[in-house]
Amino acid sequence: METLSADRRNHDDFVKECVQRLSEDRSPALITLKMQLYFLENFFNRDEVVEKHMRNLQLKTAHLLKEITENDVITKDEQEEIFNKIIIDIVLHMGLGSPDNKEVINETMKALNSVMSRSDKAKFVTLDKKDRLLALKDIREIVCGIRIFNKHAGNSTNGMSDLPRVLDQSHDSTKSILQITLCEIMDKVNLLTSALNSSIAYDLRNRTIVTLLPENISSDDLDNLKDLLVMYRQHEVYTRKLIDELALIKFNIDTCNQEYNSKLIKIHESVQYRTAIPTDRVFPKFSELTRIWLQFQNYIYLLSEINQISNTLTNLTERCLSFDDLAYRLLGECQIHTDVDRLNKTKGKRLLMGVENACEVVAYSPGMKIELLKFCVWHLAEANGVLMPGNTDMGVCQHQKDFYAFNIPEAAIFFDEDPDKYIFKVVTLARKKIQLVAFLDIFYKVQTAYNSHSREVFRLKAPVTCEQQIQTELHPVPSNIDRQYRWNIWDLRREAIELTNLRMKRTSSSQTAKVKQTQVYLPKNQGTQTKVNRATETEERRPRIKKPETAPSPLQVYSMTVEDFSSATMSRIK
């Protein structure tokens, strides 16, 4: 078999590792990767969500819009049909109710008739496609504003939703769901963090962390708990982002609500106690009111996207295997502590630097970006992936342009001795557990370490070495030379041809005729006899003649042949 190259072996190992991880569809590591991919693809930009909704709405009403703008109108019936379609288009685009509701259609028709006279309708159908689209957009905004004003004035309440009230209810419901989800996540995080914290001990003299495991827990179980903690921490980060986005949406909703009420008040003041109003004064106000109405609809879509993302992330975490029993066994008799409890243990302490002062301790400010999501870099490096939140109240350590937080003051001293060493350990760990790359936001560091030599990137201290001479035997294995060995297969074939000596042979072929014989059984004559003739013969009785009685003769007559005589003679001689 041909020897595989190093690149090919690496490729095969990579494929094997990928297949193995993808086959474990309920493992915490794969669930974390799925969460990261889904959130990066679906976490929305508000403008993109609105544009997506508008595109979907345009696709649904494209056929209706084409009939309004492209069909030629000749008769009066065709004109009425066009404006009936315009009414349906206004209801669908502006969210004024269901087009199947007759009351909604009638009220929209009244609003349209108050905007357009017969001459305006006749002029509309004579416009070309481009002018019809522009005119239709203005008609939508004005008719929608009139309907909103009529609803607020109490003239009509059929079919239209009270969007400000619906938005407040939707916001409160979404906020409650996110807070409940966050509380459930933090319960898992506190359990896992306390269990992992109980399994480690600080060896400050040797500047390392020692892992202490009970007899019924293996190192693989400990790795599963670490991966599970990363998964719940990732879910926590995404949930907090959704809560922050929800708070920003709530602020915008309140701002729009104030503007919405002020526009309605201005329109009421303009039309109050007046029978006739110039259209150039009131129609722009209706258009402005419609734009705010459309913003309310956009915020409803945003709230729906937040609920969908939250539900999907929760469903992914629920598919993961449960390790609660394992966490409680590792926790033992220790208590469960929250992040606040851990921070209170180091309250009032300050970070200290060593003699070398490769780093600088600075005070933490709210706008400062802390690397590794404020987790302690020393715990990540020495405990092989244990996530311990750092305490920024003690100060942060500045290395070059990056800032790092620590859990205990001694960890900053160890980090100051060789910062690149611990950063390189974190990068190496992230290359083994790829879910940490997106979670800790260290893609740039991992990419730099891959493209360049580690010593050039992190400037690691060279280990202490010394020169040493080693001599080995010249031939540690006795030589064995086979004179009959042939490495070339053609040499073997050449020898085989010589052995056969085909040049002195002649090849002949023969073929025998194939005779086919068939044996049959000839018919056999058989006979049967059903009657047997039999006969009987009786004894014929003859009369007996009685002979006369005579006296016996003294003479006896013998008969002898020559053969009898010779045999008798021979017997005597013997």
Side-chain angles (χ1 to χ4, degrees), residues 175-402:
K175 183 179 180 180
S176 177
I177 292 173
L178 290 177
Q179 288 178 346
I180 293 174
T181 303
L182 183 61
C183 291
E184 294 176 353
I185 293 172
M186 293 311 300
D187 290 340
K188 297 288 187 180
V189 167
N190 294 331
L191 171 62
L192 293 171
T193 307
S194 300
L196 292 174
N197 192 22
S198 64
S199 65
I200 60 175
Y202 301 137
D203 187 2
L204 301 180
R205 177 176 297 180
N206 296 323
R207 292 168 171 75
T208 185
I209 295 177
V210 180
T211 303
L212 305 175
L213 294 179
E215 295 180 355
N216 55 352
I217 296 178
S218 62
S219 58
D220 293 337
D221 296 334
L222 186 65
D223 290 337
N224 288 330
L225 292 179
K226 293 177 183 178
D227 294 340
L228 193 65
L229 179 58
V230 173
M231 184 191 74
Y232 282 113
R233 284 291 188 182
Q234 185 69 84
H235 195 188
E236 175 196 356
V237 171
Y238 289 156
T239 304
R240 292 188 185 277
K241 285 185 178 181
L242 294 178
I243 292 175
D244 295 339
E245 188 68 25
L246 182 64
L248 183 59
I249 292 175
K250 176 60 176 175
F251 176 78
N252 295 333
I253 290 174
D254 295 339
T255 303
C256 289
N257 203 1
Q258 295 176 1
E259 188 176 358
Y260 175 76
N261 293 328
S262 65
K263 295 292 183 184
L264 285 173
I265 292 174
K266 289 181 181 180
I267 295 175
H268 279 287
E269 293 176 352
S270 300
V271 302
Q272 192 175 13
Y273 307 117
R274 295 183 183 181
T275 56
I277 306 169
T279 57
D280 57 349
R281 291 181 54 186
V282 70
F283 281 0
K285 295 181 180 180
F286 286 136
S287 299
E288 293 175 358
L289 185 62
T290 301
R291 295 188 188 99
I292 300 175
W293 177 266
L294 293 178
Q295 289 183 10
F296 284 147
Q297 293 184 2
N298 295 337
Y299 290 130
I300 290 179
Y301 306 141
L302 294 176
L303 292 178
S304 176
E305 288 289 332
I306 289 177
N307 285 322
Q308 183 176 357
I309 293 174
S310 177
N311 292 334
T312 304
L313 295 178
T314 303
N315 292 334
L316 285 175
T317 55
E318 289 177 352
R319 291 175 55 189
C320 182
L321 296 173
S322 177
F323 294 94
D324 291 346
D325 181 59
L326 181 63
Y328 279 109
R329 282 191 284 126
L330 183 61
L331 182 64
E333 298 180 357
C334 300
Q335 295 182 355
I336 299 177
H337 297 286
T338 62
D339 291 343
V340 178
D341 297 335
R342 297 185 191 90
L343 296 179
N344 290 332
K345 293 181 179 180
T346 57
K347 186 176 181 179
K349 296 182 179 181
R350 295 287 298 173
L351 295 182
L352 301 176
M353 290 291 103
V355 180
E356 298 183 4
N357 284 335
C359 304
E360 181 183 358
V361 177
V362 296
Y364 172 74
S365 59
M368 187 180 295
K369 180 184 177 181
I370 308 300
E371 299 293 325
L372 307 179
L373 290 179
K374 298 183 180 181
F375 291 108
C376 180
V377 60
W378 185 68
H379 279 82
L380 272 170
E382 295 298 329
N384 197 20
V386 174
L387 299 177
M388 286 293 170
N391 188 359
T392 55
D393 295 337
M394 297 189 301
V396 294
C397 182
Q398 182 179 1
H399 174 61
Q400 297 178 356
K401 296 181 180 180
D402 299 332

Side-chain angles (χ1 to χ4, degrees), residues 502-558:
L502 294 179
R503 291 177 299 176
M504 304 300 295
K505 300 294 186 294
R506 185 177 63 181
T507 303
S508 62
S509 61
S510 61
Q511 183 176 2
T512 58
K514 187 176 181 180
V515 180
K516 294 184 178 179
Q517 295 180 355
T518 304
Q519 182 178 4
V520 297
Y521 293 93
L522 297 176
K524 182 179 180 180
N525 295 327
Q526 294 181 354
T528 58
Q529 186 176 4
T530 59
K531 183 178 180 180
V532 179
N533 294 324
R534 293 183 179 180
T536 57
E537 183 179 358
T538 59
E539 182 181 1
E540 183 180 357
R541 294 184 177 183
R542 295 178 180 180
R544 295 182 177 181
I545 297 176
K546 192 172 179 180
K547 294 181 178 181
E549 296 181 356
T550 59
S553 176
L555 298 177
Q556 293 182 357
V557 180
Y558 295 91

Side-chain angles (χ1 to χ4, degrees), residues 77-118:
D77 294 337
E78 292 177 348
Q79 179 178 337
E80 292 180 356
E81 184 180 357
I82 288 294
F83 280 93
N84 288 334
K85 294 178 180 178
I86 290 176
I87 292 172
I88 298 175
D89 179 80
I90 294 172
V91 172
L92 291 175
H93 273 86
M94 299 301 164
L96 301 179
S98 174
D100 296 332
N101 192 336
K102 294 182 178 180
E103 295 181 353
V104 173
I105 298 297
N106 292 332
E107 292 178 2
T108 307
M109 183 180 296
K110 292 178 182 178
L112 179 62
N113 292 332
S114 66
V115 173
M116 299 183 69
S117 61
R118 292 183 179 179

Side-chain angles (χ1 to χ4, degrees), residues 53-207:
H53 169 71
M54 293 303 298
R55 287 195 300 269
N56 294 334
L57 186 60
Q58 290 174 0
L59 288 175
K60 293 179 180 178
T61 60
H63 183 70
L64 181 63
L65 184 63
K66 182 178 180 180
E67 293 180 353
I68 295 173
T69 57
E70 296 183 3
N71 288 355
D72 296 331
V73 179
I74 299 176
T75 64
K76 185 177 180 180
D77 294 337
E78 292 177 348
Q79 179 178 337
E80 292 180 356
E81 184 180 357
I82 288 294
F83 280 93
N84 288 334
K85 294 178 180 178
I86 290 176
I87 292 172
I88 298 175
D89 179 80
I90 294 172
V91 172
L92 291 175
H93 273 86
M94 299 301 164
L96 301 179
S98 174
D100 296 332
N101 192 336
K102 294 182 178 180
E103 295 181 353
V104 173
I105 298 297
N106 292 332
E107 292 178 2
T108 307
M109 183 180 296
K110 292 178 182 178
L112 179 62
N113 292 332
S114 66
V115 173
M116 299 183 69
S117 61
R118 292 183 179 179
S119 61
D120 295 334
K121 294 181 179 179
K123 183 179 179 181
F124 176 82
V125 296
T126 60
L127 298 175
D128 57 2
K129 179 180 178 180
K130 183 177 180 181
D131 294 335
R132 282 191 191 184
L133 287 173
L134 296 175
L136 181 60
K137 181 180 178 182
D138 296 335
I139 293 171
R140 289 172 183 168
E141 294 180 352
I142 297 173
V143 172
C144 180
I146 293 174
R147 288 219 45 199
I148 296 171
F149 174 76
N150 291 336
K151 178 178 177 59
H152 189 266
N155 298 329
S156 173
T157 58
N158 295 324
M160 281 187 65
S161 301
D162 189 1
L163 285 187
R165 182 176 61 84
V166 172
L167 276 174
D168 290 336
Q169 294 177 354
S170 300
H171 169 267
D172 295 339
S173 176
T174 304
K175 183 179 180 180
S176 177
I177 292 173
L178 290 177
Q179 288 178 346
I180 293 174
T181 303
L182 183 61
C183 291
E184 294 176 353
I185 293 172
M186 293 311 300
D187 290 340
K188 297 288 187 180
V189 167
N190 294 331
L191 171 62
L192 293 171
T193 307
S194 300
L196 292 174
N197 192 22
S198 64
S199 65
I200 60 175
Y202 301 137
D203 187 2
L204 301 180
R205 177 176 297 180
N206 296 323
R207 292 168 171 75

